[in-house]
Amino acid sequence: MPVDATRGFKRTPYPDCHGTGELRIDSENINEDFEVEKQIVITECPRCLGLAFLPPGAP
């Protein structure tokens, strides 16, 4: 039986980044005027490497 190489695999969104490939971290810093500055730090998801899904066969 021939293998259908054109069929894609099912992509499962990675739960840590909710399928975006990015992690958003809330951060608070105090500036030189002693005011609290709130920021959102956006970084690539280290588990899915920014792919936003789990590759087939990944644990």
Side-chain angles (χ1 to χ4, degrees):
M1 177 179 266
V3 176
D4 183 7
T6 62
R7 184 174 38 157
F9 56 89
K10 181 181 178 187
R11 292 184 176 187
T12 303
Y14 195 71
D16 286 357
C17 63
H18 304 290
T20 64
E22 300 175 337
L23 291 181
R24 295 174 181 264
I25 304 165
D26 292 327
S27 173
E28 292 183 354
N29 296 316
I30 298 176
N31 65 17
E32 60 274 356
D33 296 325
F34 298 102
E35 298 171 337
V36 176
E37 295 178 341
K38 294 185 179 188
Q39 300 175 340
I40 297 177
V41 178
I42 302 172
T43 185
E44 181 181 88
C45 179
R47 296 291 307 262
C48 71
L49 303 175
L51 295 174
F53 61 90
L54 294 174

